Amino acid sequence: MNDVNEIYRMLNCQSKLEEQLRGIKLARNLEDLSFLILPFANGESKRLWENCAKALYEISDEKLEQYLPSLLEWLQDLNWPGALIILDRLKKFSGKKLKKPFMDRYTFACNLNDEEGLMWLDYLSELLENEQLKQELPIHVKEKLQEHFKNWGFWYSE
């Protein structure tokens, strides 16, 4: 029953609610959580993302720590299913553990030098609500992110 494809079938948002809830419970027990991070399954993967995020939300920092770079990738677009759930989970994550992967994504977004990078900075700035992480960040990073915080798209000119 713990077959990943069977869990994906249950996690699909078009499955019955009881099946989705059972799938979320089973997903939390997967050994390899990478199957739940922006899964690519049968071309209809986004139908799984919200429930995958719900399963990941309940998993401990210790189990999620190795997946932080991938979880931060989910924040490229907060319109993606499950992105807000992942954002909320990361706001509660240990700031010390989150700092390095966060800084890697921050640097990557800054180096894009385009609208996509600016949008990603908008979304990453929401993690300033993680007080532990905020204390860990260099002042220049906090200042840059503060420009984006709750001010999405200020840089966009029509």
Side-chain angles (χ1 to χ4, degrees):
M1 184 62 153
N2 287 347
D3 176 65
V4 174
N5 289 326
E6 180 65 13
I7 292 173
Y8 281 166
R9 184 191 62 71
M10 289 187 254
L11 292 174
N12 189 307
C13 67
Q14 294 181 328
S15 295
K16 291 181 180 180
L17 181 58
E18 304 82 41
E19 284 288 296
Q20 292 178 49
L21 295 173
R22 201 161 55 118
I24 291 168
K25 186 175 182 180
L26 289 172
R28 289 183 192 134
N29 296 315
L30 285 172
E31 188 69 30
D32 182 356
L33 298 177
S34 67
F35 288 114
L36 300 177
I37 302 171
L38 301 173
F40 192 75
N42 301 328
E44 299 180 4
S45 61
K46 286 190 177 180
R47 291 183 180 168
L48 310 173
W49 290 7
E50 189 86 12
N51 284 326
C52 286
K54 289 176 183 177
L56 290 164
Y57 188 91
E58 299 297 327
I59 295 172
S60 70
D61 282 10
E62 292 73 31
K63 268 185 94 173
L64 286 179
E65 185 175 1
Q66 67 178 316
Y67 302 100
L68 285 173
S70 299
L71 288 170
L72 287 162
E73 293 286 325
W74 212 320
L75 304 186
Q76 285 181 63
D77 190 338
L78 292 185
N79 293 307
W80 287 347
L84 292 173
I85 294 168
I86 296 301
L87 176 63
D88 285 343
R89 177 62 181 90
L90 292 176
K91 286 178 182 179
K92 298 173 180 149
F93 208 90
S94 161
K96 289 187 185 297
K97 293 178 181 181
L98 186 54
K99 180 184 177 186
K100 180 173 181 345
F102 178 87
M103 288 300 299
D104 291 345
R105 293 297 88 203
Y106 168 83
T107 301
F108 182 82
C110 286
N111 288 337
L112 287 175
N113 289 320
D114 62 11
E115 190 173 300
E116 181 182 343
L118 292 169
M119 185 172 66
W120 202 354
L121 289 173
D122 285 352
Y123 300 150
L124 287 173
S125 75
E126 292 299 310
L127 287 173
L128 288 174
E129 291 181 354
N130 179 326
E131 289 299 323
Q132 289 182 357
L133 175 64
K134 191 174 179 179
Q135 291 175 9
E136 295 289 324
L137 296 175
I139 291 173
H140 74 279
V141 171
K142 287 190 274 195
E143 289 173 352
K144 174 124 178 151
L145 289 173
Q146 196 61 51
E147 295 173 12
H148 292 264
F149 186 68
K150 304 287 186 210
N151 198 20
W152 298 355
F154 78 91
W155 42 264
Y156 186 73
S157 60
E158 296 188 52

Short mmCIF file of all heavy atoms in Angstrom, two decimals, residues 79-122:
data_model
loop_
_atom_site.label_atom_id
_atom_site.label_comp_id
_atom_site.label_asym_id
_atom_site.label_seq_id
_atom_site.Cartn_x
_atom_site.Cartn_y
_atom_site.Cartn_z
N ASN A 79 1.78 31.17 -6.26
CA ASN A 79 0.52 30.77 -6.87
C ASN A 79 0.47 29.26 -7.11
O ASN A 79 -0.59 28.72 -7.41
CB ASN A 79 0.30 31.50 -8.21
CG ASN A 79 0.08 32.98 -7.99
OD1 ASN A 79 -0.78 33.38 -7.21
ND2 ASN A 79 0.87 33.79 -8.66
N TRP A 80 1.62 28.59 -7.01
CA TRP A 80 1.64 27.15 -7.20
C TRP A 80 0.86 26.48 -6.08
O TRP A 80 0.94 26.91 -4.92
CB TRP A 80 3.07 26.62 -7.20
CG TRP A 80 3.86 26.94 -8.42
CD1 TRP A 80 3.40 27.42 -9.61
CD2 TRP A 80 5.27 26.78 -8.56
NE1 TRP A 80 4.44 27.58 -10.48
CE2 TRP A 80 5.60 27.19 -9.87
CE3 TRP A 80 6.28 26.35 -7.73
CZ2 TRP A 80 6.90 27.16 -10.36
CZ3 TRP A 80 7.58 26.32 -8.22
CH2 TRP A 80 7.88 26.72 -9.52
N PRO A 81 0.12 25.42 -6.39
CA PRO A 81 -0.59 24.69 -5.33
C PRO A 81 0.38 24.25 -4.23
O PRO A 81 1.47 23.73 -4.52
CB PRO A 81 -1.18 23.47 -6.05
CG PRO A 81 -1.25 23.88 -7.49
CD PRO A 81 -0.08 24.81 -7.71
N GLY A 82 0.01 24.49 -3.00
CA GLY A 82 0.82 24.08 -1.86
C GLY A 82 1.90 25.04 -1.45
O GLY A 82 2.47 24.90 -0.36
N ALA A 83 2.19 26.04 -2.25
CA ALA A 83 3.30 26.95 -1.95
C ALA A 83 3.08 27.71 -0.65
O ALA A 83 4.02 27.89 0.14
CB ALA A 83 3.53 27.92 -3.11
N LEU A 84 1.88 28.16 -0.40
CA LEU A 84 1.61 28.91 0.83
C LEU A 84 1.72 28.02 2.07
O LEU A 84 2.14 28.47 3.14
CB LEU A 84 0.24 29.58 0.78
CG LEU A 84 0.14 30.72 -0.25
CD1 LEU A 84 -1.30 31.22 -0.37
CD2 LEU A 84 1.09 31.86 0.09
N ILE A 85 1.39 26.75 1.91
CA ILE A 85 1.53 25.79 3.02
C ILE A 85 3.01 25.59 3.33
O ILE A 85 3.42 25.60 4.49
CB ILE A 85 0.85 24.45 2.66
CG1 ILE A 85 -0.66 24.66 2.54
CG2 ILE A 85 1.19 23.37 3.70
CD1 ILE A 85 -1.41 23.49 1.93
N ILE A 86 3.82 25.44 2.28
CA ILE A 86 5.27 25.28 2.47
C ILE A 86 5.85 26.55 3.08
O ILE A 86 6.68 26.49 3.99
CB ILE A 86 5.96 24.92 1.13
CG1 ILE A 86 5.47 23.55 0.62
CG2 ILE A 86 7.47 24.96 1.27
CD1 ILE A 86 5.71 22.38 1.56
N LEU A 87 5.40 27.70 2.61
CA LEU A 87 5.87 28.97 3.18
C LEU A 87 5.56 29.02 4.68
O LEU A 87 6.44 29.36 5.48
CB LEU A 87 5.22 30.15 2.46
CG LEU A 87 5.54 31.53 3.00
CD1 LEU A 87 7.02 31.85 2.89
CD2 LEU A 87 4.70 32.59 2.28
N ASP A 88 4.35 28.68 5.05
CA ASP A 88 3.98 28.69 6.48
C ASP A 88 4.84 27.72 7.27
O ASP A 88 5.25 28.02 8.39
CB ASP A 88 2.50 28.34 6.66
CG ASP A 88 1.58 29.48 6.29
OD1 ASP A 88 2.06 30.64 6.19
OD2 ASP A 88 0.38 29.24 6.08
N ARG A 89 5.13 26.56 6.70
CA ARG A 89 5.97 25.58 7.41
C ARG A 89 7.38 26.13 7.60
O ARG A 89 7.99 25.99 8.67
CB ARG A 89 6.01 24.25 6.62
CG ARG A 89 6.91 23.18 7.23
CD ARG A 89 6.43 22.79 8.62
NE ARG A 89 7.27 21.78 9.22
CZ ARG A 89 8.34 22.04 9.98
NH1 ARG A 89 8.71 23.29 10.23
NH2 ARG A 89 9.04 21.06 10.51
N LEU A 90 7.93 26.76 6.57
CA LEU A 90 9.29 27.29 6.66
C LEU A 90 9.38 28.48 7.61
O LEU A 90 10.44 28.74 8.17
CB LEU A 90 9.81 27.65 5.27
CG LEU A 90 10.04 26.46 4.34
CD1 LEU A 90 10.45 26.93 2.95
CD2 LEU A 90 11.07 25.49 4.91
N LYS A 91 8.29 29.17 7.82
CA LYS A 91 8.27 30.27 8.79
C LYS A 91 8.47 29.75 10.21
O LYS A 91 8.88 30.51 11.09
CB LYS A 91 6.95 31.05 8.71
CG LYS A 91 6.84 31.93 7.49
CD LYS A 91 5.50 32.63 7.46
CE LYS A 91 5.36 33.48 6.21
NZ LYS A 91 4.04 34.15 6.17
N LYS A 92 8.23 28.47 10.43
CA LYS A 92 8.38 27.85 11.74
C LYS A 92 9.66 27.03 11.85
O LYS A 92 9.92 26.43 12.89
CB LYS A 92 7.18 26.94 12.02
CG LYS A 92 5.88 27.69 12.06
CD LYS A 92 4.72 26.74 12.15
CE LYS A 92 3.44 27.58 12.19
NZ LYS A 92 2.33 26.96 11.60
N PHE A 93 10.42 26.98 10.79
CA PHE A 93 11.61 26.12 10.74
C PHE A 93 12.76 26.76 11.52
O PHE A 93 12.85 27.98 11.62
CB PHE A 93 12.03 25.91 9.27
CG PHE A 93 12.75 24.62 9.04
CD1 PHE A 93 12.04 23.48 8.71
CD2 PHE A 93 14.11 24.53 9.19
CE1 PHE A 93 12.68 22.28 8.52
CE2 PHE A 93 14.77 23.34 9.00
CZ PHE A 93 14.05 22.21 8.66
N SER A 94 13.64 25.95 12.01
CA SER A 94 14.83 26.43 12.71
C SER A 94 15.61 27.41 11.82
O SER A 94 16.00 27.06 10.70
CB SER A 94 15.73 25.25 13.08
OG SER A 94 17.04 25.69 13.35
N GLY A 95 15.83 28.62 12.30
CA GLY A 95 16.55 29.63 11.52
C GLY A 95 17.99 29.24 11.24
O GLY A 95 18.52 29.51 10.17
N LYS A 96 18.63 28.60 12.19
CA LYS A 96 20.02 28.17 12.00
C LYS A 96 20.13 27.15 10.88
O LYS A 96 21.05 27.20 10.07
CB LYS A 96 20.59 27.59 13.29
CG LYS A 96 20.85 28.63 14.35
CD LYS A 96 21.57 28.02 15.55
CE LYS A 96 21.75 29.01 16.67
NZ LYS A 96 22.55 30.15 16.38
N LYS A 97 19.19 26.21 10.84
CA LYS A 97 19.21 25.17 9.80
C LYS A 97 18.78 25.72 8.44
O LYS A 97 19.22 25.24 7.41
CB LYS A 97 18.31 24.01 10.21
CG LYS A 97 18.83 23.26 11.41
CD LYS A 97 17.89 22.14 11.80
CE LYS A 97 18.42 21.41 13.03
NZ LYS A 97 17.53 20.31 13.41
N LEU A 98 17.92 26.70 8.45
CA LEU A 98 17.38 27.26 7.21
C LEU A 98 18.33 28.26 6.56
O LEU A 98 18.27 28.48 5.35
CB LEU A 98 16.03 27.92 7.52
CG LEU A 98 15.19 28.45 6.37
CD1 LEU A 98 14.94 27.40 5.31
CD2 LEU A 98 13.86 28.98 6.92
N LYS A 99 19.22 28.84 7.32
CA LYS A 99 20.05 29.94 6.84
C LYS A 99 20.82 29.62 5.55
O LYS A 99 20.71 30.35 4.57
CB LYS A 99 21.03 30.40 7.92
CG LYS A 99 21.91 31.56 7.44
CD LYS A 99 22.94 31.95 8.46
CE LYS A 99 23.83 33.05 7.90
NZ LYS A 99 24.93 33.36 8.79
N LYS A 100 21.61 28.56 5.52
CA LYS A 100 22.44 28.29 4.35
C LYS A 100 21.61 28.03 3.10
O LYS A 100 21.84 28.67 2.06
CB LYS A 100 23.40 27.14 4.58
CG LYS A 100 24.24 26.90 3.32
CD LYS A 100 25.32 25.93 3.46
CE LYS A 100 26.16 25.71 2.24
NZ LYS A 100 25.71 26.18 0.95
N PRO A 101 20.63 27.11 3.13
CA PRO A 101 19.84 26.93 1.90
C PRO A 101 19.09 28.20 1.49
O PRO A 101 18.95 28.48 0.30
CB PRO A 101 18.88 25.79 2.22
CG PRO A 101 19.16 25.36 3.60
CD PRO A 101 20.27 26.16 4.16
N PHE A 102 18.63 28.96 2.48
CA PHE A 102 17.95 30.22 2.18
C PHE A 102 18.91 31.18 1.46
O PHE A 102 18.56 31.78 0.45
CB PHE A 102 17.41 30.87 3.46
CG PHE A 102 16.75 32.19 3.19
CD1 PHE A 102 15.43 32.25 2.84
CD2 PHE A 102 17.47 33.37 3.27
CE1 PHE A 102 14.81 33.47 2.57
CE2 PHE A 102 16.88 34.59 3.01
CZ PHE A 102 15.54 34.64 2.66
N MET A 103 20.11 31.32 2.01
CA MET A 103 21.09 32.23 1.39
C MET A 103 21.46 31.78 -0.02
O MET A 103 21.66 32.62 -0.91
CB MET A 103 22.34 32.34 2.27
CG MET A 103 22.13 33.13 3.55
SD MET A 103 21.61 34.84 3.25
CE MET A 103 23.01 35.47 2.32
N ASP A 104 21.53 30.48 -0.25
CA ASP A 104 21.81 29.98 -1.60
C ASP A 104 20.70 30.39 -2.56
O ASP A 104 20.97 30.85 -3.68
CB ASP A 104 21.93 28.45 -1.59
CG ASP A 104 23.18 27.96 -0.88
OD1 ASP A 104 24.12 28.76 -0.63
OD2 ASP A 104 23.23 26.75 -0.56
N ARG A 105 19.45 30.26 -2.15
CA ARG A 105 18.31 30.64 -3.01
C ARG A 105 18.25 32.15 -3.17
O ARG A 105 17.95 32.65 -4.25
CB ARG A 105 16.98 30.13 -2.44
CG ARG A 105 16.82 28.63 -2.45
CD ARG A 105 16.82 28.02 -3.84
NE ARG A 105 18.18 27.73 -4.25
CZ ARG A 105 18.64 27.60 -5.49
NH1 ARG A 105 17.83 27.71 -6.50
NH2 ARG A 105 19.88 27.35 -5.77
N TYR A 106 18.53 32.87 -2.11
CA TYR A 106 18.55 34.34 -2.17
C TYR A 106 19.59 34.79 -3.18
O TYR A 106 19.30 35.62 -4.05
CB TYR A 106 18.85 34.90 -0.77
CG TYR A 106 19.19 36.37 -0.78
CD1 TYR A 106 18.19 37.32 -0.78
CD2 TYR A 106 20.52 36.80 -0.80
CE1 TYR A 106 18.49 38.68 -0.80
CE2 TYR A 106 20.83 38.15 -0.82
CZ TYR A 106 19.81 39.07 -0.82
OH TYR A 106 20.13 40.42 -0.85
N THR A 107 20.80 34.25 -3.10
CA THR A 107 21.88 34.62 -4.01
C THR A 107 21.51 34.27 -5.45
O THR A 107 21.72 35.07 -6.37
CB THR A 107 23.19 33.92 -3.60
OG1 THR A 107 23.51 34.32 -2.26
CG2 THR A 107 24.34 34.29 -4.52
N PHE A 108 20.94 33.10 -5.63
CA PHE A 108 20.52 32.69 -6.97
C PHE A 108 19.49 33.66 -7.54
O PHE A 108 19.60 34.11 -8.67
CB PHE A 108 19.95 31.26 -6.93
CG PHE A 108 19.56 30.74 -8.27
CD1 PHE A 108 20.50 30.20 -9.13
CD2 PHE A 108 18.23 30.80 -8.69
CE1 PHE A 108 20.12 29.73 -10.38
CE2 PHE A 108 17.85 30.32 -9.93
CZ PHE A 108 18.80 29.79 -10.78
N ALA A 109 18.49 34.01 -6.72
CA ALA A 109 17.45 34.94 -7.18
C ALA A 109 18.04 36.30 -7.52
O ALA A 109 17.68 36.91 -8.54
CB ALA A 109 16.36 35.07 -6.11
N CYS A 110 18.96 36.79 -6.70
CA CYS A 110 19.61 38.08 -6.98
C CYS A 110 20.40 38.04 -8.28
O CYS A 110 20.41 39.01 -9.04
CB CYS A 110 20.55 38.46 -5.83
SG CYS A 110 19.70 39.00 -4.34
N ASN A 111 21.05 36.92 -8.55
CA ASN A 111 21.88 36.80 -9.74
C ASN A 111 21.08 36.63 -11.03
O ASN A 111 21.64 36.76 -12.12
CB ASN A 111 22.87 35.65 -9.59
CG ASN A 111 23.97 35.98 -8.61
OD1 ASN A 111 24.28 37.14 -8.35
ND2 ASN A 111 24.56 34.95 -8.03
N LEU A 112 19.79 36.35 -10.91
CA LEU A 112 18.97 36.23 -12.12
C LEU A 112 18.85 37.57 -12.83
O LEU A 112 18.72 37.62 -14.05
CB LEU A 112 17.58 35.70 -11.78
CG LEU A 112 17.50 34.22 -11.42
CD1 LEU A 112 16.09 33.85 -11.00
CD2 LEU A 112 17.95 33.35 -12.59
N ASN A 113 18.88 38.67 -12.08
CA ASN A 113 18.82 40.02 -12.66
C ASN A 113 17.67 40.18 -13.65
O ASN A 113 17.83 40.78 -14.71
CB ASN A 113 20.15 40.38 -13.33
CG ASN A 113 21.24 40.60 -12.33
OD1 ASN A 113 21.00 41.19 -11.28
ND2 ASN A 113 22.42 40.10 -12.62
N ASP A 114 16.53 39.61 -13.32
CA ASP A 114 15.37 39.77 -14.19
C ASP A 114 14.10 39.75 -13.34
O ASP A 114 14.16 39.66 -12.11
CB ASP A 114 15.33 38.69 -15.27
CG ASP A 114 15.22 37.27 -14.73
OD1 ASP A 114 14.97 37.08 -13.52
OD2 ASP A 114 15.37 36.32 -15.53
N GLU A 115 12.97 39.85 -14.01
CA GLU A 115 11.69 39.90 -13.32
C GLU A 115 11.46 38.64 -12.49
O GLU A 115 10.91 38.70 -11.38
CB GLU A 115 10.58 40.07 -14.35
CG GLU A 115 9.24 40.36 -13.75
CD GLU A 115 8.21 40.70 -14.82
OE1 GLU A 115 8.41 41.67 -15.57
OE2 GLU A 115 7.21 39.96 -14.88
N GLU A 116 11.87 37.49 -13.00
CA GLU A 116 11.70 36.23 -12.26
C GLU A 116 12.46 36.28 -10.94
O GLU A 116 11.95 35.87 -9.90
CB GLU A 116 12.18 35.05 -13.11
CG GLU A 116 12.01 33.72 -12.42
CD GLU A 116 12.52 32.56 -13.26
OE1 GLU A 116 12.72 32.71 -14.48
OE2 GLU A 116 12.72 31.48 -12.67
N GLY A 117 13.68 36.78 -10.96
CA GLY A 117 14.48 36.90 -9.75
C GLY A 117 13.85 37.85 -8.75
O GLY A 117 13.82 37.58 -7.54
N LEU A 118 13.34 38.97 -9.25
CA LEU A 118 12.69 39.94 -8.36
C LEU A 118 11.43 39.37 -7.73
O LEU A 118 11.17 39.58 -6.55
CB LEU A 118 12.37 41.22 -9.14
CG LEU A 118 13.59 42.04 -9.57
CD1 LEU A 118 13.18 43.13 -10.55
CD2 LEU A 118 14.30 42.63 -8.37
N MET A 119 10.67 38.62 -8.52
CA MET A 119 9.47 38.00 -7.99
C MET A 119 9.83 36.98 -6.91
O MET A 119 9.20 36.91 -5.86
CB MET A 119 8.67 37.33 -9.11
CG MET A 119 7.34 36.76 -8.64
SD MET A 119 6.29 36.17 -9.98
CE MET A 119 7.24 34.80 -10.60
N TRP A 120 10.89 36.20 -7.16
CA TRP A 120 11.31 35.20 -6.18
C TRP A 120 11.76 35.89 -4.89
O TRP A 120 11.49 35.42 -3.80
CB TRP A 120 12.41 34.33 -6.76
CG TRP A 120 12.56 33.00 -6.09
CD1 TRP A 120 11.89 32.56 -4.99
CD2 TRP A 120 13.41 31.95 -6.48
NE1 TRP A 120 12.29 31.30 -4.67
CE2 TRP A 120 13.22 30.89 -5.57
CE3 TRP A 120 14.32 31.78 -7.51
CZ2 TRP A 120 13.92 29.69 -5.65
CZ3 TRP A 120 15.01 30.59 -7.60
CH2 TRP A 120 14.81 29.56 -6.69
N LEU A 121 12.44 37.03 -5.01
CA LEU A 121 12.81 37.80 -3.82
C LEU A 121 11.58 38.28 -3.06
O LEU A 121 11.57 38.29 -1.83
CB LEU A 121 13.72 38.98 -4.18
CG LEU A 121 15.13 38.62 -4.63
CD1 LEU A 121 15.86 39.86 -5.12
CD2 LEU A 121 15.91 37.93 -3.52
N ASP A 122 10.54 38.66 -3.80
CA ASP A 122 9.28 39.03 -3.15
C ASP A 122 8.81 37.88 -2.26
O ASP A 122 8.45 38.09 -1.10
CB ASP A 122 8.18 39.31 -4.19
CG ASP A 122 8.33 40.63 -4.92
OD1 ASP A 122 9.19 41.45 -4.53
OD2 ASP A 122 7.57 40.84 -5.88
#
